[in-house]
Amino acid sequence: MAPEPPAVGNGQPARAAEPSLPGDPLLRVTSLTAAYGKREAVCDVSIEVGRGEVVALLGHNGAGKTTLLKALFGLKSVSQGEVVFDGQVCTGRSYADNVKAGMSFTPAEAAVFRDLSVLENLELGGFTVEDAGVRRERVEKIYSTFPILEERRGQMAGTLSGGEQRMLSIGIALMSDPRLMFLDEPSLGLTPALAQKVLERIRELASVDGLSVLVVEQNVRAALRVSSRAYFLRTGRIILEEPAEVALARGHWWDLF
Ligand code: ATP
């Protein structure tokens, strides 16, 4: 396999970008490229996510959506471009430092510890939070967002239904109290009704708590209903950005690809 292209910014501490203004986006990505060997999976991508905004990232299988999320979160090296989070240049920063700075990533596969209970999973998600009272408050908040998790709090995560596991993996991410969530297909494997419910909860977290979310979804209509804007990705490039309500009215997205 061809060697990875030189990574940009790996291991470098974040440095200040231009001074950020109150109206500035929380995340600004400029001309980002990420490759597997010589093959560019994400090419010259520029996107923004505002504070308290839910933004959808849409496209066919293999378009580069997951690679983009991983590159932004620090799980995939970046070969070109710049990522600015909350006024700090953080291109190629490690995921551990990105979590500390307020990012979280929930992968498409349910990321739960199967042999631990629901509560133990949540506590593990908040292991960096030293104050037990704060940890408890966060668990309570997650229970109020996803009441089924409270009902199942003593149950082993591996025995939860697929939908419950999705909610738990989002809950684990929320335990670090992120300001920006990268969500990869939160409705994967859920019934349309449950998918809508999970996405509605995410929208509430954005509108009530000011959480910013970049969400990848195959369920285009459901994603557009909870987003303010959408980016459409084709073979690694952004081919269109538009307000979600405009995209919803179009109703024939797949023609774009
Ligand atoms: P899906 O909707 O199917 O999850 P996606 O839009 O998230 O797709 P990616 O998973 O980002 O797409 O993949 C983009 C391209 O990069 C694809 O052509 C894929 O085969 C390739 N790719 C992904 N991961 C790797 C890897 N680890 N090594 C080599 N190529 C990869």
Side-chain angles (χ1 to χ4, degrees), residues 33-191:
T33 296
Y36 296 103
K38 285 191 180 150
R39 199 164 159 270
E40 289 177 350
V42 169
C43 193
D44 198 24
V45 162
S46 297
I47 62 170
E48 290 183 357
V49 181
R51 293 163 200 272
E53 188 183 23
V54 181
V55 175
L57 184 60
L58 307 168
H60 272 312
N61 293 123
K65 306 178 296 294
T66 300
T67 303
L68 177 56
L69 293 192
K70 287 183 174 172
L72 297 177
F73 185 61
L75 288 170
K76 167 84 193 93
S77 60
V78 166
S79 37
Q80 276 180 55
E82 184 178 74
V83 182
V84 175
F85 176 67
D86 201 17
Q88 298 282 306
V89 177
C90 61
T91 322
R93 190 165 63 180
S94 74
Y95 63 86
D97 286 339
N98 282 331
V99 169
K100 280 185 208 148
M103 295 183 188
S104 79
F105 172 64
T106 304
E109 61 280 6
V112 300
F113 300 95
R114 300 179 61 83
D115 298 328
L116 296 180
S117 72
V118 166
L119 178 58
E120 287 166 338
N121 267 271
L122 292 176
E123 280 174 345
L124 215 53
F127 81 101
T128 54
V129 185
E130 283 175 17
D131 187 327
V134 172
R135 276 205 309 275
R136 256 195 316 276
E137 273 170 28
R138 290 193 188 162
V139 169
E140 290 306 320
K141 175 106 200 296
I142 289 158
Y143 284 164
S144 71
T145 304
F146 300 116
I148 189 72
L149 294 183
E150 184 167 21
E151 282 177 40
R152 304 268 187 250
R153 61 186 177 279
Q155 190 171 325
M156 292 299 116
T159 65
L160 295 173
S161 74
E164 289 161 357
Q165 289 192 22
R166 296 298 303 158
M167 290 184 234
L168 180 56
S169 53
I170 295 169
I172 292 169
L174 288 172
M175 283 298 291
S176 64
D177 196 25
R179 288 184 290 158
L180 174 63
M181 271 187 117
F182 298 118
L183 277 179
D184 199 354
E185 302 201 33
S187 74
L188 192 71
L190 306 189
T191 61

